[in-house]
């Protein structure tokens, strides 16, 4: 491994650590955001170089592992924590919470669909349930026996 590839490997490590600090900073910035828990960054090898290939086991020999060295890293994914938290009573009859990994479906004024874990809703002047930014809460109508009413 030459000097250039050693520097490249070190720089990719610095870059993913910078990204990880961004994710941690986002977690700190959202500590008081309703329904936000945390995000976690995961990383993966960007390139790997094989020096020797592995061999399969034989009758008297257990085989060998390949000899590899990584030559850099990259961001694999940012994963959000959707684990169940403890619901809190707010005193608002229109506030709801999700138990599990679901999301609320909201329709914005431009017709686009967004998803949220924030269940602090209110009713607008036309008696539609809306989020704090005015997006409509989507769902199904139910009767008094909690059966879903098709088309509502």
């Amino acid at each position: 491994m030459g000097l250039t590839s050693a520097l490249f490997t070190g720089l990719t490590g610095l870059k993913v650590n910078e990204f990880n600090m961004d994710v941690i900073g986002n977690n700190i910035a959202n500590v008081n955001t309703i329904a936000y828990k945390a995000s976690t960054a995961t990383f993966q090898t960007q390139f790997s170089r094989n020096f020797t290939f592995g061999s399969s086991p034989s009758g008297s020999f257990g085989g060998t592992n390949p000899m590899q060295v990584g030559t850099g890293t990259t961001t694999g994914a940012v994963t959000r924590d959707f684990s169940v938290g403890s619901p809190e009573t707010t005193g608002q009859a229109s506030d709801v919470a999700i138990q599990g990994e679901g999301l609320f479906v909201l329709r914005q004024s431009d017709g686009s669909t967004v998803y949220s874990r924030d269940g602090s809703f209110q009713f607008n002047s036309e008696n539609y349930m809306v989020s704090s930014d005015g997006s409509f809460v989507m769902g199904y109508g139910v009767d008094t026996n909690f059966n879903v009413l098709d088309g509502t």
Side-chain angles (χ1 to χ4, degrees):
M1 184 151 86
L3 181 60
T4 305
S5 57
L7 289 172
F8 176 77
T9 302
L11 286 174
T12 61
L14 288 172
K15 185 174 180 176
V16 296
N17 277 301
E18 174 193 14
F19 185 80
N20 194 33
M21 292 301 292
D22 290 342
V23 172
I24 292 169
N26 187 47
N27 289 338
I28 293 170
N30 284 295
V31 72
N32 289 322
T33 301
I34 295 172
Y36 185 87
K37 289 196 176 237
S39 295
T40 305
T42 57
F43 306 101
Q44 62 189 20
T45 302
Q46 188 170 14
F47 303 109
S48 63
R49 183 174 167 193
N50 289 328
F51 291 114
T52 62
F53 293 101
S55 64
S56 60
S58 64
S60 61
F61 187 65
T64 61
N65 290 327
M67 182 191 241
Q68 294 178 326
V69 64
T71 56
T73 186
T74 187
T75 303
V78 176
T79 309
R80 296 244 169 132
D81 180 7
F82 285 116
S83 62
V84 178
S86 57
E88 297 179 19
T89 304
T90 63
Q92 292 284 84
S94 58
D95 286 353
V96 293
I98 293 177
Q99 291 289 341
E101 296 184 359
L103 295 165
F104 294 108
V105 180
L106 306 172
R107 173 89 23 95
Q108 294 184 315
S109 59
D110 64 359
S112 63
T113 302
V114 295
Y115 303 93
S116 176
R117 296 276 296 174
D118 183 359
S120 55
F121 301 126
Q122 62 265 354
F123 291 97
N124 67 7
S125 61
E126 298 170 355
N127 210 25
Y128 288 109
M129 186 177 268
V130 295
S131 65
S132 58
D133 68 351
S135 298
F136 293 98
V137 179
M138 306 304 291
Y140 297 99
V142 293
D143 61 18
T144 56
N145 295 323
F146 301 103
N147 296 313
V148 174
L149 301 174
D150 291 332
T152 58

